[in-house]
Amino acid sequence: MMTRNTLFINVFYLLSVAVSPSLMAQNNTSSPYSSLGIGDIKHNGIGAIQGMGGTGTALSPRTYYNYTNPAGNNALPPKISLTDIGLFYKQTSGSDTETTQKNQDFNLNYFSLIFSPKPNYTLSFGLRPYSSIGYEIDILSGIEGSNEEYQSRYSGQGGLNMVFWSNAIQLGERLSLGATMSFMWGQIT
């Protein structure tokens, strides 16, 4: 059974991550494609689901948290509390005929907490980036009617973050109902 101290510690961890400036407006991309729309959309999953490429959506795991299917989280043992923290590392390189660029990105990727406050009911919440923008594109263009050239630089950074809250209730032996609510915010420049 989750004690008040355990719940307090888990909520403290969530709040400390939520106010961490490293998660807010993090930029873990260096892709020119992030200039389109709201940027590069992050994987919709946490932990083991990301490791399976998102194919584990229908799973009802007994040992980890399934963000993409809140109803499946009722399969977790009763009176359990799980905290999941993910890190992200990406190394990219790009080149053209004249230059080569290499980038490394390392950030906190997500935080989640799941617990069962009473039998047949599971509650979870967390924080994760939803999208990221990070690009710097230089374009060399000719001036019409002359041999002169000029350089234009397009750059952008930012992204959207998401806080989510999920509920799941067991309605029968083989029937569970779940819902996730979320709020997104961020800045794109």
Side-chain angles (χ1 to χ4, degrees):
M1 179 173 178
M2 178 182 269
T3 65
R4 284 187 179 192
N5 287 339
T6 307
L7 180 60
F8 175 75
I9 289 170
N10 287 331
V11 170
F12 174 76
Y13 285 139
L14 177 67
L15 291 175
S16 64
V17 169
V19 297
S20 170
S22 65
L23 185 62
M24 305 306 171
Q26 65 181 337
N27 178 26
N28 33 340
T29 189
S30 51
S31 167
Y33 301 109
S34 69
S35 64
L36 306 172
I38 60 172
D40 288 341
I41 306 296
K42 300 296 177 187
H43 293 289
N44 185 18
I46 291 178
I49 302 301
Q50 282 186 354
M52 296 190 313
T55 59
T57 300
L59 292 178
S60 296
R62 295 192 53 80
T63 56
Y64 62 88
Y65 172 54
N66 186 348
Y67 165 73
T68 57
N69 182 10
N73 291 321
N74 274 330
L76 290 168
K79 301 177 184 175
I80 192 170
S81 171
L82 297 175
T83 303
D84 195 7
I85 298 173
L87 301 173
F88 176 84
Y89 175 77
K90 181 178 177 181
Q91 182 175 356
T92 58
S93 64
S95 63
D96 60 15
T97 56
E98 299 174 10
T99 60
T100 300
Q101 180 178 346
K102 293 183 179 182
N103 295 306
Q104 294 182 355
D105 301 312
F106 179 75
N107 284 296
L108 177 67
N109 196 30
Y110 60 83
F111 174 86
S112 67
L113 170 68
I114 183 169
F115 59 96
S116 182
K118 59 183 182 177
N120 298 326
Y121 177 66
T122 306
L123 175 67
S124 57
F125 54 93
L127 182 65
R128 71 179 190 91
Y130 183 77
S131 71
S132 63
I133 293 177
Y135 62 91
E136 195 167 282
I137 303 169
D138 292 328
I139 298 176
L140 194 59
S141 304
I143 298 175
E144 207 172 309
S146 74
N147 292 333
E148 300 292 318
E149 293 182 324
Y150 67 95
Q151 184 172 353
S152 300
R153 174 168 285 176
Y154 300 95
S155 63
Q157 62 184 3
L160 298 177
N161 297 301
M162 181 172 80
V163 63
F164 59 89
W165 178 41
S166 297
N167 292 291
I169 188 164
Q170 188 86 27
L171 299 175
E173 184 180 331
R174 296 186 161 264
L175 181 61
S176 192
L177 182 65
T180 300
M181 294 165 276
S182 61
F183 175 76
M184 286 190 250
W185 78 99
Q187 183 175 350
I188 298 173
T189 8

